[in-house]
Amino acid sequence: MDSVKKHPEIKCFVTVATIVAQLEVILTEAKSLSLTSKNARVVAIRAGEAALGFKSITNFINEFSSRTIQTTEHINLHAGQLFKLALNHLRASQLEQHLAKSLSLCDHAQSRALYVKAASDVKDVMVSLKHELQNLQWQFEEIEQQMRAAEYIAVTSRVEASQAGEFCASLESVSDYISSAAMRIKGAIETNLNTLDELERVFK
Amino acid sequence: MKSTDLYQGKHHKWLVFGRDQGKSEKIIDTNQYMIVTSQQTMLLDPGGIELFSAMLAGILSHTELEKVTTLFASHQDPDIISSLGLWDKTIPNAKLYAPWLWEGFIRHFGMDNIEYKAIPDEGQELRLDSVTFRFIPAHFLHSSGNFHVYDPEAKILMSGDIGAALEEPDAPMFVEDFASHADKMRYFHQRWMPSNSAKKNWIARVRELDIEMMAPQHGRIFKGEAVQEFLEWFDNLEVGIVNS
């Protein structure tokens, strides 16, 4: 833990890697939700009049799962940029540390100028990094919002499923799946938001 | 970091940096060379990342950073060039001359600004101001793509890992008694150099050069008679041996 406090630039790599790992969980769940909505739509059509309400719900499921996939893929692209920034931050910090050491060995005007520039570069990279992390936090909060909608849909679809006669059981299992997938996605988001919070504390 | 003048001529000078008192015990001691011409400076095997601070302080005592236009890496090893990512931010307008074979590997040390100048297998000449240097092939002698730097004016051959010895960091800079020094080189050459035919090839090439000083990247520098003694010793040494 002390080494993390001393070298927050290393913590940054771990954070980005953790986020990327959790993105895979979100993406897989969102894709399964999208598939589930398509299957549920077929079942609802077969159920006819009895499942009319459920049919329209499948459109919502499909819509928010597509949105979740889109946001997750966007975050994934962002992660590459974050790794790059984390690497820049690591290198800038290393350079700053080495220049400070060099300055202690030989107080030369060029060494001082290099050190001042390196310290300013570290600050600049840090600002970009914090900006990117803030963006990431907003994107995760957006997905979290979508998952709240998913929970409402799960409740509504359970009500609609109960009126679908012989198709009731299979539509209820769809409702259960939406509910559990939303929970898993929320869990992954929570992990990521905690990781980001932790990083923010290290940087402070 | 100790610096020693090796040569002072009309057009340029050679310095060696080494015997770093601040270095960790677990890393091998290295020699870094610097050539200063009228307007330019070249660093030869500028060293590992942990030496950067001491090297920077050492260099600034002799030249300005704007004049450091050229870096040379004899091969890809970390003790040779892992400081590249830091030099890249410190001397952004320099060129790195290194074997073409190692470009994709050396770039992993971090290289956004410095220009990579790939040395072809057969070697090439390099001119700094009015001085011409030659990159001499030493392939498969420690590394599969490997070069040395020969300076015909100063008659110095910077020989990378050939002639290297593993010894104490406070060892003298020059070989004083070849016979006793040979023991310190034997294992290094037998284990780190895999090919007797590559060795013969290199010796034949180097015997054609007029060499006053042979300057390896580890250990002591050979002067005068010691250069020929080394070539003779190396010629008779069987390399590519494990558990010797």
Side-chain angles (χ1 to χ4, degrees):
Chain A
M1 192 63 198
D2 276 354
S3 68
V4 167
K5 274 183 186 159
K6 256 172 129 178
H7 302 287
E9 58 277 7
I10 303 290
K11 174 74 183 166
C12 199
F13 279 107
V14 179
T15 304
V16 180
T18 309
I19 288 168
V20 170
Q22 292 297 318
L23 282 180
E24 199 51 42
V25 173
I26 299 172
L27 200 58
T28 308
E29 292 293 348
K31 281 178 179 168
S32 299
L33 268 176
S34 173
L35 196 64
T36 303
S37 78
K38 286 180 178 79
N39 290 339
R41 194 174 162 78
V42 173
V43 176
I45 289 168
R46 279 191 4 229
E49 283 291 313
L52 262 186
F54 201 96
K55 201 175 127 192
S56 58
I57 286 171
T58 59
N59 291 336
F60 286 115
I61 306 169
N62 195 36
E63 199 183 306
F64 79 69
S65 59
S66 299
R67 236 183 8 240
T68 306
I69 291 170
Q70 208 179 10
T71 315
T72 310
E73 281 173 346
H74 186 66
I75 294 174
N76 219 354
L77 285 176
H78 243 54
Q81 176 65 12
L82 264 172
F83 269 128
K84 208 175 160 192
L85 276 171
L87 184 63
N88 286 348
H89 185 236
L90 174 71
R91 287 193 168 143
S93 304
Q94 274 186 334
L95 181 63
E96 186 191 21
Q97 287 156 22
H98 282 282
L99 289 172
K101 199 173 158 197
S102 179
L103 200 53
S104 70
L105 294 169
C106 160
D107 190 1
H108 190 283
Q110 271 199 310
S111 276
R112 270 201 305 281
L114 281 170
Y115 176 74
V116 169
K117 188 181 177 308
S120 146
D121 286 349
V122 170
K123 277 185 192 153
D124 288 349
V125 180
M126 184 78 108
V127 168
S128 309
L129 202 54
K130 280 184 176 171
H131 181 71
E132 279 297 320
L133 291 171
Q134 181 69 67
N135 274 343
L136 206 58
Q137 197 160 357
W138 287 335
Q139 282 165 339
F140 282 127
E141 281 164 1
E142 192 187 316
I143 299 180
E144 207 174 30
Q145 201 69 28
Q146 288 163 18
M147 288 312 110
R148 272 193 210 115
E151 280 171 341
Y152 291 131
I153 288 172
V155 172
T156 316
S157 63
R158 202 164 284 128
V159 173
E160 293 294 338
S162 66
Q163 292 162 14
E166 59 176 307
F167 295 95
C168 173
S170 60
L171 290 178
E172 261 177 0
S173 71
V174 170
S175 311
D176 290 344
Y177 183 77
I178 298 168
S179 177
S180 61
M183 289 284 283
R184 284 192 291 272
I185 291 176
K186 274 178 75 175
I189 292 167
E190 203 177 321
T191 306
N192 280 346
L193 289 173
N194 286 341
T195 313
L196 287 172
D197 274 353
E198 226 178 275
L199 185 64
E200 209 175 313
R201 279 198 295 277
V202 172
F203 276 142
K204 270 178 186 168
Chain B
M1 176 88 66
K2 187 177 162 189
S3 82
T4 308
D5 285 4
L6 289 184
Y7 169 83
Q8 174 68 69
K10 243 192 200 169
H11 307 109
H12 67 301
K13 71 172 177 179
W14 277 73
L15 290 118
V16 57
F17 297 93
R19 313 298 187 257
D20 182 20
Q21 296 299 320
K23 87 164 186 61
S24 147
E25 265 180 44
K26 300 234 171 181
I27 59 169
I28 188 167
D29 192 54
T30 52
N31 299 327
Q32 290 70 231
Y33 296 92
M34 183 165 92
I35 299 169
V36 183
T37 63
S38 61
Q39 296 302 316
Q40 299 187 66
T41 295
M42 171 157 74
L43 301 178
L44 286 75
D45 287 355
I49 200 163
E50 72 299 325
L51 286 186
F52 173 80
S53 317
M55 270 299 285
L56 179 63
I59 288 165
L60 283 170
S61 313
H62 299 278
T63 189
E64 295 148 37
L65 286 178
E66 291 72 23
K67 289 188 174 174
V68 183
T69 56
T70 314
L71 299 176
F72 164 75
S74 58
H75 60 287
Q76 81 291 355
D77 280 353
D79 60 322
I80 300 286
I81 191 68
S82 69
S83 56
L84 182 65
L86 298 171
W87 292 114
D88 190 60
K89 302 282 180 283
T90 318
I91 45 166
N93 300 315
K95 295 179 172 79
L96 168 70
Y97 286 85
W100 71 270
L101 191 66
W102 293 117
E103 177 168 1
F105 296 80
I106 286 177
R107 281 184 183 275
H108 280 277
F109 290 126
M111 196 172 161
D112 295 325
N113 301 307
I114 292 174
E115 185 186 347
Y116 199 102
K117 302 290 276 185
I119 308 172
D121 275 344
E122 65 274 20
Q124 67 179 83
E125 288 193 342
L126 170 72
R127 201 170 166 83
L128 292 183
D129 294 320
S130 61
V131 191
T132 303
F133 302 91
R134 281 169 59 191
F135 295 129
I136 308 289
H139 306 313
F140 299 105
L141 288 172
H142 184 79
S143 164
S144 47
N146 198 18
F147 288 98
H148 298 160
V149 177
Y150 177 60
D151 176 350
E153 196 176 316
K155 297 180 181 171
I156 296 176
L157 176 72
M158 187 276 183
S159 61
D161 278 300
I162 296 185
L166 304 175
E167 54 184 344
E168 294 305 309
D170 55 353
M173 202 47 104
F174 295 94
V175 173
E176 287 150 0
D177 172 36
F178 185 83
S180 62
H181 186 65
D183 271 349
K184 295 175 178 139
M185 301 189 290
R186 184 169 289 107
Y187 177 71
F188 184 87
H189 288 74
Q190 286 181 326
R191 183 66 203 258
W192 267 280
M193 292 176 201
S195 164
N196 282 301
S197 63
K199 180 195 76 174
K200 295 276 183 197
N201 186 298
W202 178 84
I203 291 172
R205 188 177 289 124
V206 165
R207 282 200 195 278
E208 288 175 8
L209 307 173
D210 184 5
I211 302 171
E212 282 287 332
M213 215 181 276
M214 195 181 100
Q217 194 241 343
H218 302 288
R220 306 185 198 188
I221 295 167
F222 302 81
K223 252 206 274 195
E225 192 56 32
V227 177
Q228 296 312 316
E229 283 180 300
F230 172 80
L231 292 177
E232 199 57 38
W233 172 84
F234 193 34
D235 204 6
N236 291 320
L237 184 76
E238 198 184 344
V239 298
I241 294 171
V242 180
N243 296 329
S244 57

